[in-house]
Amino acid sequence: MHDLKKLLIERYGKFSSKNIKQKIPKNVSQIISRGSIRKFTKKKVSDEILESLIATAQSAPTKSNLQQYSILIVSDKKNKKKIAELLKETRWALEAPIFFLFLADIRRNQLITEYKGYEYKNNNMDHFMNAVIDSALSMQSLIIAAESWGLGICPISMVRNHLEEIKLICELPKGVFPIAGLSVGWPDEKKRVSPRLSKNLIFHKNKYSDEKIIEELKNYDELFFKKNPIPVSKQRHVDKYGPAEKGTWSENISRQLSIPERTNFSNWLKNNGFDLK
Ligand SMILES: Cc1cc2nc3c(=O)[nH]c(=O)nc-3n(C[C@H](O)[C@H](O)[C@H](O)COP(=O)(O)O)c2cc1C
C-alpha cells in the first residue's frame, strides 16, 4: 500500500493533509502500516538475513560515535527456556526463532579508556541516557530492517522485571543491562495497525501546547475502542479497580500508571555499574 491517505486513515482514523497526491516510498508506507507480531512460525531466519539485521542495527546513529550498546542473541535452548520461564505469560516471546537482548553498555568504553591509559570519568546520568538511546536506536533500526524482510517483531520490556536473573543467565558484567528484548521471526498472525494519538497531541509547532488533550483524547479513545476494545482479561489491575466500564486506551494506561512499577530499577543499576550521578 503506497496511498498515504489510506495509511493515515488506518493509523489515525482520519487524515489531515488537504491535498494528498504524492505516492510515498515503499519503506515509508511499510513503517506507517507496521504492527507488532506475537506469534511466529518455526521457520528459521537465515544467517545472511541475521547478518544484515546486525549491520542495520549498527548503522543507526550513535552519540559521538561512542557506540555504547551491545546486542546479545539468546540461541542456547537451555537459556531460552530459563528466560521463558521467568517471563511467564510473555513466554511466547522466546518461541520466536530469534530472541535478542538490546543492551545499554558503558563497560566497553571504560575498558578501552583504561587500556589507552586514561581515567574514565563519565559514569554519570548523561552517559547512562546516551547508552540507552544508542541501544534503542539500534533496536529500531533493526526493527525497520526486519520488517522490510517480511519478518515480524515484538520488543519485550518484561526482561527488565528480571534483571538479576537475566544478568546471571547471560553473564552480563557491570555497566551492561538489557533495555529490552526483541523477538524476531516469520509472522504466524496478521499484523494489526494500532491507532496512535492524533498528531495534534504529539507534534508541536514552535511552542509546546497541551490545550487540546481532553478533546483529542475523547476522539482517540473512541477510535481505539472501535478498532481494539480492551477486554477485561487484558485490562490492568482489575483486582484493584474492577472491570472497566469501557475498555478504552486512557482507562487502561491510567490504571497502569497509578501503580508503581519496577521501583527497584535505579537501585539495581547503581549496584550494577551505573553511578547515575
Ligand atoms: C520498549 C518496548 C517494550 C515493549 N515490551 C513489550 C512487552 O513486554 N510485551 C509485549 O507484549 N509488548 C511489548 N511491547 C510492544 C508494545 O506493546 C507495542 O509496540 C504497542 O502496544 C503498540 O503496538 P504496535 O507495535 O503493534 O504498533 C514493547 C514495546 C516497546 C517499544
Side-chain angles (χ1 to χ4, degrees):
M1 196 199 305
H2 305 286
D3 178 338
L4 184 58
K5 190 167 151 185
K6 267 194 201 160
L7 291 165
L8 295 182
I9 289 174
E10 234 190 325
R11 183 60 82 190
Y12 299 111
K14 60 183 180 200
F15 62 98
S16 51
S17 309
K18 286 189 188 80
N19 244 334
I20 299 181
K21 285 199 190 108
Q22 204 171 345
K23 291 276 180 201
I24 59 170
K26 188 167 172 256
N27 57 349
V28 175
S29 87
Q30 177 207 302
I31 293 169
I32 299 176
S33 63
R34 67 157 301 280
S36 292
I37 292 291
R38 294 180 176 79
K39 203 162 175 248
F40 305 91
T41 69
K42 297 226 176 311
K43 188 179 158 192
K44 284 204 167 140
V45 177
S46 71
D47 288 345
E48 288 87 345
I49 292 181
L50 177 59
E51 198 170 349
S52 80
L53 294 182
I54 301 302
T56 60
Q58 286 195 259
S59 301
T62 146
K63 165 75 175 65
S64 300
N65 204 15
L66 286 167
Q67 308 178 54
Q68 297 182 101
Y69 65 97
S70 290
I71 305 163
L72 188 147
I73 188 166
V74 184
S75 51
D76 181 82
K77 271 192 184 155
K78 270 195 217 148
N79 286 354
K80 269 188 146 181
K81 192 164 170 256
K82 281 186 200 163
I83 296 175
E85 274 162 14
L86 288 171
L87 298 193
K88 297 190 185 82
E89 71 273 20
T90 311
R91 58 182 313 121
W92 53 263
L94 277 295
E95 280 161 24
I98 294 181
F99 187 75
F100 292 115
L101 288 175
F102 276 82
L103 307 167
D105 184 344
I106 61 167
R107 173 188 157 87
R108 187 172 46 243
N109 289 353
Q110 288 172 344
L111 295 177
I112 292 171
T113 305
E114 281 160 23
Y115 166 74
K116 295 295 290 180
Y118 294 91
E119 197 180 339
Y120 181 87
K121 290 190 181 167
N122 272 287
N123 192 342
N124 55 32
M125 199 65 192
D126 190 46
H127 278 276
F128 165 74
M129 198 169 84
N130 289 334
V132 172
I133 294 172
D134 273 8
S135 187
L137 291 180
S138 74
M139 180 167 82
Q140 177 60 9
S141 197
L142 187 146
I143 287 172
I144 293 171
E147 289 175 341
S148 305
W149 279 108
L151 289 159
I153 66 91
C154 189
I156 303 293
S157 62
M158 275 294 283
V159 296
R160 267 184 275 127
N161 291 16
H162 306 282
L163 288 171
E164 191 57 28
E165 297 92 327
I166 288 176
K167 174 183 96 178
L168 297 174
I169 294 168
C170 299
E171 300 184 13
L172 304 181
K174 285 194 182 343
V176 176
F177 86 98
I179 65 152
L182 186 75
S183 303
V184 180
W186 302 105
D188 198 17
E189 66 177 353
K190 234 180 133 211
K191 76 164 182 221
R192 281 208 309 198
V193 176
S194 152
R196 292 293 197 263
L197 287 167
S198 159
K199 85 173 188 334
N200 294 337
L201 290 185
I202 302 283
F203 179 62
H204 304 261
K205 277 189 188 154
N206 300 312
K207 284 185 184 166
Y208 186 94
S209 161
D210 55 12
E211 277 164 21
K212 289 193 171 159
I213 291 184
I214 303 303
E215 181 191 330
E216 291 289 2
L217 182 61
K218 282 183 186 152
N219 295 335
Y220 182 59
D221 270 343
E222 281 311 315
L223 169 69
F224 200 96
F225 187 77
K226 221 163 95 188
K227 263 191 109 170
N228 198 10
I230 303 172
V232 176
S233 62
K234 292 211 169 138
Q235 288 170 13
R236 304 272 179 164
H237 307 304
V238 174
D239 46 344
K240 186 171 161 86
Y241 299 119
E245 220 168 273
K246 206 169 173 187
T248 60
W249 177 83
S250 64
E251 178 65 26
N252 218 37
I253 65 139
S254 302
R255 285 171 172 226
Q256 177 180 2
L257 297 175
S258 72
I259 307 280
E261 291 177 346
R262 300 187 184 119
T263 48
N264 197 36
F265 184 41
S266 60
N267 276 340
W268 187 92
L269 288 169
K270 283 179 194 158
N271 289 329
N272 284 279
F274 293 89
D275 290 350
L276 308 182
K277 281 187 192 136

